[in-house]
Amino acid sequence: TDFTEAITCKKDFAEAYFNRANTYTKLLDPKKACQDIKECIKLGYDPARAHVNNLCNWEKRFLSVIHHTAISY
């Protein structure tokens, strides 16, 4: 992607990591999205802090939904 190319050229380009995380989210790849959001935070990009729990706790939420669905049957 263009975001990956931008990160390759400039490793501390936090906004590119943030935008790539959003792209990974839309592509249903939460692990990569979480990695990029965490990198944003390391680089000091404050808007990423609002998204870290949402993107990085996907597995816990998914298992909770599966559990609740199984109980309702």
Side-chain angles (χ1 to χ4, degrees):
T1 68
D2 290 339
F3 300 124
T4 300
E5 288 182 34
I7 292 165
T8 300
C9 292
K10 187 177 179 196
K11 296 288 184 199
D12 64 346
F13 192 1
E15 292 88 349
Y17 282 101
F18 185 79
N19 289 325
R20 189 171 71 175
N22 287 327
T23 300
Y24 284 140
T25 300
K26 291 175 184 173
L27 294 172
L28 302 176
D29 194 341
K31 285 185 180 182
K32 288 182 180 178
C34 179
Q35 291 170 347
D36 279 356
I37 284 294
K38 287 181 178 179
E39 188 61 30
C40 287
I41 292 169
K42 283 185 203 174
L43 294 170
Y45 190 66
D46 288 334
R49 293 187 186 285
H51 299 277
V52 71
N53 286 333
N54 194 30
L55 292 177
C56 297
N57 293 326
W58 66 272
E59 186 173 26
K60 183 178 177 181
R61 286 193 322 275
F62 175 76
L63 292 175
S64 175
V65 168
I66 296 298
H67 176 74
H68 290 293
T69 302
I71 289 174
S72 67
Y73 282 104

